[in-house]
Every structure is written in C-alpha cells, then in structure tokens.
C-alpha cells in the first residue's frame, strides 16, 4: 500500500513538473513576442475626444502582438503627468508617446527622456522646443483660420461682416489653444464690423467652465451673434448657457473636434452651427512608433487632415459612421 502511494505521489510530481515546464515555455515565448514596450502618457481622459483617441491607440497596438502597451492618465495634472513620464524613463521603455497637458510644464521631462536615448513621439499638443523624435497632430492654425472664414461668411461675408463675437479658449497654456486663437484672429481681425466681446479666458477645454464663461458674457452683453469655442464640449457648454437664458436663437456656435458621436451629432441636431475636424492621433502614433522600432527613420512632423462639418455634410458623416441609419 505504502509503495502504491509512493508511486502515485511520484506520478503527480512528474505530471506537475511536465505541466509547469510546458506552461513555462508558453509564457516565455509569449514574453519573447512582446519585443517593444511602448509607454503612452495621456493628458486627461475627461473628454470623449480623448477616449476615442485612447480606444484607437489601443486597437492599433492590439493588432501587433510584438507591442506591450502601458497607458497612464495624467488626470489633467501636470505633476502627475511628469511623474508618469519619469516612470517610463526608469522602466527604460523602448518608446514614449505623449500628449502633454501644457507645453511649458512637460517640455523638460520629455527632453530628459529623449536625451536618455528613448524615442518620444508627441501627439496633438506640442512642446516649447522640438527635442523629441516626431510630432503628430492637426494643423491648429489652419483650423483656426477655417473657423475664422466660416465666422466671417456667417456674419455677412468678407468686408461686410458685422457682429458681436465671443471666443472661449481651451487651455491657454497649450499649443492647440494658442494656434486656434491666432488662426481665427488672422482672418477676423481684418473685419472692422466684427467686435470681440470677451478678453482672453481659459475654459480648459471643459464644458462646465465654458458654461460659466458664456453665462457671464450673456449677462454683460445684450447681443451675441457668434460663439467660437476651441472645442466642441465648450461650444456645447456655451449653447447650454444661452439656452438656459432663452437666448440661444440667432447665435451661431462654432466648435472644433468633429467626432461623430459628439460634435457631428450636435451639428446634425442643430445645436452647433459648425465644427472643424481635429483628427485623433492615437492609431497613427502607434503605426509611426512601430516603424521607428523596426528601424525606419521618421519625418519630424505628421500633420493630420481637417474638414469643415456643418448642416451640409453632418448627416452623411453620421450615416457613414453608423450613428444614424
Ligand atoms: C481633449 C481636447 C480636445 C481638443 C484637444 C486639444 O482633451 O480638449 O477637445 O481638441 O484636447 O488638445
């Protein structure tokens, strides 16, 4: 009996050994496949645009089994985002992708990563210098100009445009907000009939902050003809403030981003007058990082396309994206 127990015991040990050996192999080869560790530092995840950005980035990475992706959310906090990038440097990741919340506060840590030999691809918001590998994003000056041209046309056309305009800024320390402002003013400042009602303000890209800015503007000004907000959530926040005061009629609301489930839908529903596509850069970021990690050299800037979205094409975009049937 004792002998029998010993045999069974030995058989179990043998089985476990073989089984653990084979699963060990699997793990090993699984690990070996993940050749490239990419750290992605996102500025925030509060807006739908950023969630779409993250989703596309993750989906693109999932197509490539050789990539191990680590995502960190900076939670709209510069110190947290700096710490996230410091963490990637300590981990010696193979590449860093980053959307810096603001230029000034994030430039030193990105430069530090780059100087330590880690390639860095900057997405959407730029830094104060170009000590990084590549930038991918939309042309925000061009988008600002397109919004300016739309505003001028809406208010009567070049040379004849007339009206009171409220501009609601995104995070004023970020490059998209500055470029969207400058591009817009390049066009509208040529129009003597256009009056800017607000001084530079900072809506930090947030719908609720924009609501407050617009509520104050409405209190102070009996007539507002057009609102230019640096993104769709803020254009929508401004619309809600006007609606709550029963003053939304006769005012045009322009936003930027143009993601189907948000800005395009608001245009289709008649809440926003127009939005300007600001393509999310996550999928392109992964594709470029992979090219680099496989030994290709990258161009310094990849500029993503834009388009104007208003009532002439919003419905078609929603159909193409399966948002309406
Ligand atoms: C999302 C967002 C977008 C905007 C972009 C600018 O966080 O506010 O709405 O277009 O950032 O960087």
């Amino acid at each position: 009996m004792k002998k029998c127990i010993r045999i069974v015991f030995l058989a179990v040990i043998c089985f476990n050994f073989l089984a653990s050996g084979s699963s060990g192999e699997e793990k090993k080869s699984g690990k070996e496949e993940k050749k490239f560790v990419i750290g992605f530092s996102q500025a925030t995840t509060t807006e739908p645009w950023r969630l779409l950005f993250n989703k596309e980035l993750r989906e693109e990475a999932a197509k490539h089994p050789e990539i191990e992706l680590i995502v960190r959310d900076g939670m709209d906090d510069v110190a947290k985002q700096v710490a996230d990038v410091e963490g990637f440097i300590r981990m010696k990741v193979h590449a860093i992708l980053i959307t810096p919340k603001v230029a000034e506060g994030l430039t030193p840590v990105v430069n530090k990563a780059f100087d330590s030999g880690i390639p860095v691809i900057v997405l959407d918001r730029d830094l104060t210098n170009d000590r990084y590998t590549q930038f991918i994003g939309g042309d925000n000056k061009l988008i600002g100009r397109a919004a300016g041209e739309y505003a001028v046309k809406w208010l009567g056309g070049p040379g004849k445009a007339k009206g009171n305009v409220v501009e609601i800024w995104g995070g004023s320390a970020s490059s998209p907000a500055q470029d969207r402002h400058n591009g817009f003013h390049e066009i509208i400042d040529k129009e003597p009939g256009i009056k800017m009602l607000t001084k530079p303000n900072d809506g930090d890209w947030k719908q609720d902050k924009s609501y407050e800015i617009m509520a104050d503007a409405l209190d102070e000004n009996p007539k507002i003809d057009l609102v230019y907000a640096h993104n769709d959530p803020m254009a929508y926040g401004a619309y809600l403030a006007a609606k709550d005061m029963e003053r939304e009629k006769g005012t045009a609301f322009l936003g930027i981003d143009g993601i189907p489930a948000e800005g395009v839908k608001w245009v289709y529903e008649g809440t926003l007058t127009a939005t300007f596509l600001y393509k999310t850069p996550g999928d392109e970021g992964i594709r470029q990082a992979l090219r680099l990690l496989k030994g290709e050299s990258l161009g310094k800037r990849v500029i993503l396309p834009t388009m104007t979205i208003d009532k002439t094409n919003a419905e078609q975009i929603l159909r193409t994206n399966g948002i309406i049937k």
Side-chain angles (χ1 to χ4, degrees), residues 141-157:
K141 256 228 186 108
L142 183 77
I143 292 173
R145 278 189 220 117
E149 275 152 16
Y150 200 98
V152 167
K153 202 164 156 213
W154 184 269
L155 296 171

Side-chain angles (χ1 to χ4, degrees), residues 151-171:
V152 167
K153 202 164 156 213
W154 184 269
L155 296 171
K160 291 176 284 184
K162 225 167 134 324
N164 295 337
V165 172
V166 162
E167 177 182 11
I168 302 177
W169 281 67

Side-chain angles (χ1 to χ4, degrees), residues 44 47 49-50 124-125 176 180 205 230-231 233 257 278:
T44 174
E47 292 107 36
W49 187 90
R50 284 222 178 254
D124 148 46
R125 298 184 188 166
R180 289 173 193 188
W205 310 108
H230 289 182
N231 72 357
D257 279 348
Y278 185 55

